[in-house]
Amino acid sequence: GRLSRASASGGRAARGEQGRLAIGFTSSAALHPFVPAALRGFREALPGVSIVLEEAGTGELVDALLHERLDAAFVRSPVASMANLLVDPVLDEPMIAALPVGHRLSAETNSPLPLAALGTEEFVLYRRPAGPGLYDAILAACRTAGFSPIIAQEAPRLPATLSLVAAGLGVSIVPASMQRLGGENIAYRRFGDCPGLSAPLHLAMRRTVLPPVLARFRALVRRMKHEYPVTP
């Protein structure tokens, strides 16, 4: 009767087939097709687990992990400096130039663009107040290419950056998966000289014995990572 049902559901929880998983992600992580694919794969494999999703900036997500409001989070920046977090690298994608349509460099979208060609341009960059992340990687790559970028605007989130580029306020450098947000007013170009510009995606968790349901999710992400094409 009730007892055998209870022990059966206890067994399912111990195997990670039942329970609740709270997963966070940054706005740019959510735009990489890997993240929705992982969530969909997990939901199909384990329909007994209820998944709660939350989008926020990296700083807020790390805070929510440490205070046990989230079980795991997909983040862009390396948060390895957080000693109490376990951070699994998931993938690294190239970064590309986003230009307003009609810009002098927007025509030859099939040929690679030298980063130095953006030396005199005004930039719209995405800056997270809580930490460096992609912003510092872009600045470092520009310096390596021999210039310091002229920053006309800073946006709080990556999608907002693209809106400002589309409005003609400047050029930007964004993860390649952002092309899916395209819009007809933006042209994208890959870089030719590969200045070490890449955008990582990590899965962060608390450094503790993982609950069975989270261990199952982590294993699924690891499995998918090996099957996943590197460029979106």
Side-chain angles (χ1 to χ4, degrees):
R2 231 185 5 221
L3 207 59
S4 61
R5 269 203 306 279
S7 70
S9 80
R12 281 194 294 274
R15 290 191 300 273
E17 292 165 15
Q18 225 171 22
R20 176 180 176 279
L21 200 55
I23 299 173
F25 43 80
T26 63
S27 55
S28 81
L31 290 163
H32 195 288
F34 183 93
V35 172
L39 295 170
R40 195 166 52 243
F42 191 74
R43 187 160 268 156
E44 284 164 7
L46 297 165
V49 175
S50 68
I51 299 179
V52 184
L53 300 175
E54 183 179 324
E55 184 179 325
T58 303
E60 295 114 297
L61 293 174
V62 166
D63 193 58
L65 280 173
L66 295 174
H67 289 93
E68 304 190 12
R69 294 191 300 274
L70 287 177
D71 299 300
F74 286 102
V75 294
R76 285 291 193 180
S77 323
V79 282
S81 58
M82 308 293 301
N84 332 3
L85 289 185
L86 191 62
V87 182
D88 286 353
V90 178
L91 53 84
D92 238 341
E93 62 172 321
M95 292 187 80
I96 55 174
L99 310 157
V101 160
H103 186 281
R104 64 186 176 84
L105 297 171
S106 71
E108 298 173 40
T109 46
N110 293 327
S111 67
L113 178 72
L115 181 57
L118 298 178
T120 57
E121 296 297 322
E122 295 203 329
F123 275 78
V124 177
L125 289 185
Y126 149 74
R127 183 168 210 169
R128 226 173 10 82
L134 302 180
Y135 187 90
D136 276 15
I138 292 169
L139 263 54
C142 291
R143 278 196 293 273
T144 304
F147 70 97
S148 204
I150 305 158
I151 300 165
Q153 295 273 338
E154 287 185 359
R157 293 265 191 269
L158 266 169
T161 307
L162 288 184
S163 308
L164 296 173
V165 171
L169 294 181
V171 303
S172 195
I173 296 177
V174 298
S177 54
M178 301 292 287
Q179 287 176 84
R180 296 162 65 237
L181 273 193
E184 42 272 30
N185 299 321
I186 301 181
Y188 293 98
R189 286 186 67 179
R190 61 196 162 85
F191 291 110
D193 45 356
C194 250
L197 263 184
S198 69
L201 182 67
H202 296 96
L203 180 67
M205 295 150 285
R206 270 185 306 288
R207 194 177 283 284
T208 170
V209 177
L210 301 184
V213 62
L214 179 54
R216 296 280 293 252
F217 183 72
R218 183 192 195 188
L220 171 102
V221 167
R222 282 186 161 168
R223 204 162 54 242
M224 280 181 62
K225 169 177 140 175
H226 297 301
E227 300 159 2
Y228 209 79
V230 177
T231 35

